[in-house]
Every structure is written in structure tokens, then in C-alpha cells.
């Protein structure tokens, strides 16, 4: 059975406790190098566990409605709002494996701070929204349309692959002076015993000039 939830622990930030990504060891290395493509299996059943944090102000009235990534053929609309469950410390991943989601307690893309968009890499039927996320390279563009009609363009700074037990929470969710974007999915080898990938793929991107 596929799972669409992830467990997080509440501390200064929300970190992953189990599932697709795991508790960080405290490392917060800044992004820098592009990692090799993970050995994913299109027919494997993925457990899409996505990290979250709660201490970033919420842009309640504005949400992302569309994400376009030309380099990997992504054009995702009708994004799901992802929240942490009140009683279980779990962050919901997209219920629909064909849709991306945004962390609703984070800033909207284009507002100060790191906005987060997450999606599944695959399931038993094959590749899903972020299957090719690992193929992005620095300089690729990501366009996000918001519910206020504004389109914000980001440029990829780095693509990283992290083991679940070494997730760099501060590098991903730490305060940013400007608008930034994090795209997150699962990657690496698939652990059949827990029905989950062993790594996370994280794309770091920064807002470009000339947004409208």
C-alpha cells in the first residue's frame, strides 16, 4: 500500500521523523553541487513523505496555482494545500499522485522566505509529477503562477540528493532574505521493506529579476 503521509517532529523547525525523508542530523550544508540521478524504478510503489516547517508566516490570501518547469516537461496546476496533521505530527503529501502540492504554512512563492512545492516521483503505474526533478541543472527556470494573478520566475541554483537520516532542515527551510523556492520529491534506491525511497531530491531556486 502506498502512503501519502509523512511523520515530522516538532522542534524549532519541523523535521522528518520517518518515511520518505528522515530526521536530520543537524547538518545544514549550503547547496552547491548537482547530484547524480537516483536509481528509481517506475513500477515501484513510492511513499511520498515531504518535509515541512511551521514557524514561517503564512501568506493566507495568496497560494500557488500552477508550476511550470520547461526543462523537464512539468506543467502542474490545481495544486493541493499540504498541512501538518494536528494530532499525529504528520504532513500530508498530495492525495492525488498526479498533482503537486504546496506547504500551506509556508510563504507563497514570490514572498520573502523559502516556499515549498512537493510532488510524488512515481507509483505502481509509472512516473508522476516530479519523476524527472533530479534532471534539473543550475540555470533552469521554474515559473509559478499565484492566485493573485502574479507569475513569479525562479532560476535553479542547485539540485541536491540527501539521505533520509541527513536531511538539511536549515538549508531547506531556514530564513531567506529574498524569495526562494524549494522543490522536493523522493529519490535514491527503493527500500522494499518499508515501501519508501531512501533519499530526498531537493531543488533550490531563487527569484529572478523582471517578475510580473
Amino acid at each position: 500500500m502506498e502512503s501519502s503521509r509523512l511523520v515530522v517532529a516538532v522542534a524549532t523547525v519541523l523535521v522528518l521523523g520517518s518515511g520518505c525523508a528522515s530526521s536530520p542530523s543537524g547538518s545544514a550544508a549550503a547547496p552547491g553541487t548537482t547530484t547524480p540521478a537516483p536509481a528509481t524504478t517506475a513500477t515501484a510503489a513510492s511513499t511520498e513523505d515531504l518535509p515541512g516547517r511551521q514557524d514561517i508566516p503564512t501568506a493566507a490570501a495568496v497560494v500557488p496555482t500552477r508550476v511550470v518547469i520547461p526543462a523537464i516537461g512539468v506543467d502542474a496546476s490545481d495544486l493541493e494545500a499540504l498541512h501538518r496533521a494536528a494530532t499525529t505530527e504528520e504532513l500530508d503529501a498530495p492525495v492525488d499522485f498526479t498533482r503537486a502540492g504546496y506547504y500551506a504554512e509556508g510563504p507563497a512563492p514570490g514572498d520573502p522566505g523559502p516556499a515549498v512545492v512537493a510532488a510524488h516521483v512515481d507509483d505502481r503505474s509509472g512516473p508522476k509529477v516530479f519523476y524527472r526533478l533530479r534532471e534539473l541543472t543550475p540555470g533552469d527556470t521554474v515559473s509559478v503562477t499565484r492566485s493573485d494573478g502574479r507569475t513569479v520566475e525562479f532560476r535553479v541554483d542547485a539540485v541536491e540528493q540527501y539521505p533520509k537520516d541527513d536531511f538539511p532542515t536549515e538549508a531547506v527551510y531556514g530564513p531567506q532574505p529574498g524569495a526562494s523556492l524549494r522543490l522536493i520529491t523522493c529519490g535514491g534506491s527503493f527500500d522494499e521493506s518499508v515501501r519508501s525511497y531512501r533519499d530526498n531530491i531537493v531543488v533550490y531556486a531563487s527569484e529572478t529579476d523582471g517578475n510580473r
Side-chain angles (χ1 to χ4, degrees), residues 112-138:
V116 174
V117 174
H120 296 281
V121 61
D122 64 12
D123 67 3
R124 285 189 174 93
S125 68
K128 297 306 175 190
V129 182
F130 276 176
Y131 183 73
R132 297 179 60 196
L133 194 69
R134 64 192 182 276
E135 299 177 22
L136 289 176
T137 59

Side-chain angles (χ1 to χ4, degrees), residues 64-71 74-77 79 109-110 117 130 136 140-146 150-156 181 183 205-208 210-212:
T65 59
R66 184 183 183 191
V67 177
V68 177
I69 314 175
V74 168
D75 188 345
S77 57
L79 275 64
V117 174
F130 276 176
L136 289 176
D140 287 337
T141 60
V142 182
S143 295
V144 182
T145 301
R146 304 171 10 141
R150 180 183 172 198
T151 297
V152 186
E153 185 172 278
F154 297 87
R155 183 171 290 110
V156 172
L181 180 67
L183 307 175
S206 301
E207 185 180 13
T208 64
N211 282 308
R212 55 195 186 276

Side-chain angles (χ1 to χ4, degrees), residues 14 23 41 45 50 58 62 72 77 80 87 99 118 124-125 134-135 140-141 155-156 160 165 168 174 186 198 208:
L14 293 180
S23 299
T41 303
L50 309 167
T58 303
V62 178
I72 57 173
S77 57
E80 292 185 22
T87 57
R99 295 167 64 189
R124 285 189 174 93
S125 68
R134 64 192 182 276
E135 299 177 22
D140 287 337
T141 60
R155 183 171 290 110
V156 172
E160 303 289 349
D165 59 358
C186 290
R198 292 182 171 91
T208 64

Side-chain angles (χ1 to χ4, degrees), residues 30-52:
T33 58
T34 302
T35 56
T40 55
T41 303
T43 57
S46 61
T47 302
E48 291 301 308
D49 296 341
L50 309 167

